[in-house]
């Protein structure tokens, strides 16, 4: 989805089943913020778009086994069929929030994240996280020299953390902007994000401009 003029949203419905496409199109056209809806087939559309992937994708499927693939493709949200209208509405509002702000929508950002470790629950301060790495349906939180694993997807963490501080630089990496020392171009022409800890992280082309803008146009 992307904004056109006058805050009108253009929506692309991708589904292999025509009845499913028609139903989603009907729901979208009931929303006054949706200006136009286009239908097409196939999951592979997302992968073919690559770096040109729309900034807001909601994945709807009857198969929960596709969840990981959807998030790896950059989906904002994931909804299982049969479609629940209330759940769809919440996802649509989240998408509109992202489009309006240019950053992930969330009603509030969390200040602490609960992590279970060796029979106890730790409450980590979000502000102390240096960077986050996706590991299938888990995420690795890196704080200084310590690493904690939580059963959360990187999409969920991106939604919950303060978008003013945390920024996605790769489909599997989120960084705390307060920890970023700079960007460094490699011989290949690709960039790496260098943290204060001297950790180097791959910067995806898709997120490069957004990060440079957030860092002051470096």
């Amino acid at each position: 989805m992307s904004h056109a003029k006058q805050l009108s949203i253009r929506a692309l419905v991708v589904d292999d089943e025509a009845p499913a496409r028609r139903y989603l199109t009907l729901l979208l056209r009931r929303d006054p913020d949706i200006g136009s809806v286009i239908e097409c087939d196939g999951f592979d559309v997302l992968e073919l778009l690559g770096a040109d992937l729309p900034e807001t994708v909601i994945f709807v499927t009857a198969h929960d086994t596709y969840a990981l693939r959807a998030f790896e493709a950059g989906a904002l949200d994931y909804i299982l069929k049969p479609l629940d209208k209330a759940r769809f509405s919440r996802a649509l509002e989240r998408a509109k929030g992202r489009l309006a702000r240019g950053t992930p929508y969330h009603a509030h950002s969390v200040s602490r994240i609960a992590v279970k470790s060796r029979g106890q629950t730790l409450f980590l301060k979000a502000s102390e996280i240096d960077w986050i790495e996706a590991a299938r349906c888990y995420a690795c939180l890196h704080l200084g020299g310590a690493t904690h694993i939580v059963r959360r997807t990187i999409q969920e963490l991106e939604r919950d953390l303060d978008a003013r501080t945390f920024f996605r630089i790769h489909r599997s990496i989120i960084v705390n902007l307060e920890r970023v020392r700079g960007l460094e171009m490699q011989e290949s022409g690709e960039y790496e994000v260098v943290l204060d800890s001297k950790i180097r992280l791959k910067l995806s082309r898709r997120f490069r401009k957004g990060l440079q803008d957030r860092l002051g146009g470096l």
Side-chain angles (χ1 to χ4, degrees), residues 29-208:
R29 284 179 173 163
R30 290 176 178 175
D31 191 303
D33 292 327
I34 303 297
S36 63
V37 182
I38 300 173
E39 298 181 14
C40 63
D41 301 329
F43 187 101
D44 292 340
V45 169
L46 299 183
E47 296 179 347
L48 290 172
L49 286 172
D52 296 322
L53 183 72
E55 59 190 40
T56 305
V57 174
I58 300 172
F59 194 75
V60 182
T61 181
H63 308 287
D64 57 5
T65 54
Y66 289 137
L68 176 61
R69 190 179 175 192
F71 286 133
E72 286 182 342
L76 169 69
D77 209 342
Y78 178 89
I79 305 174
L80 278 176
K81 298 176 183 177
L83 197 65
D84 179 84
K85 292 183 180 179
R87 175 72 179 85
F88 181 78
S89 294
R90 290 195 298 272
L92 184 57
E93 287 305 310
R94 182 177 295 119
K96 290 193 287 186
R98 167 174 280 191
L99 291 172
R101 296 167 175 79
T103 56
Y105 170 80
H106 45 78
H108 66 279
S109 57
V110 298
S111 60
R112 292 178 183 271
I113 296 177
V115 177
K116 293 183 179 180
S117 177
R118 299 177 182 177
Q120 62 178 332
T121 300
L122 305 176
F123 295 95
L124 307 178
K125 291 182 179 179
S127 61
E128 295 180 352
I129 297 174
D130 298 329
W131 62 289
I132 301 170
E133 181 180 19
R136 292 187 178 275
C137 56
Y138 293 87
C140 299
L141 311 180
H142 299 276
L143 299 80
T147 298
H148 298 275
I149 299 177
V150 294
R151 191 176 178 82
R152 302 282 303 281
T153 66
I154 198 166
Q155 277 323 105
E156 292 171 336
L157 290 170
E158 183 182 25
R159 289 198 299 264
D160 290 345
L161 292 168
D162 191 338
R164 295 170 299 181
T165 304
F166 290 90
F167 190 85
R168 192 143 177 203
I169 64 169
H170 188 272
R171 69 182 185 183
S172 60
I173 301 174
I174 294 174
V175 297
N176 183 337
L177 296 175
E178 297 296 328
R179 304 292 193 274
V180 176
R181 175 176 294 182
L183 306 181
E184 186 172 301
M185 181 185 286
Q186 306 304 298
E187 292 182 359
S188 63
E190 300 295 330
Y191 279 85
E192 288 184 340
V193 175
V194 183
L195 305 185
D196 290 332
S197 61
K198 298 183 180 179
I199 292 289
R200 294 173 177 272
L201 304 171
K202 183 177 180 179
L203 172 60
S204 169
R205 290 184 179 182
R206 179 185 167 201
F207 299 103
R208 184 192 303 169

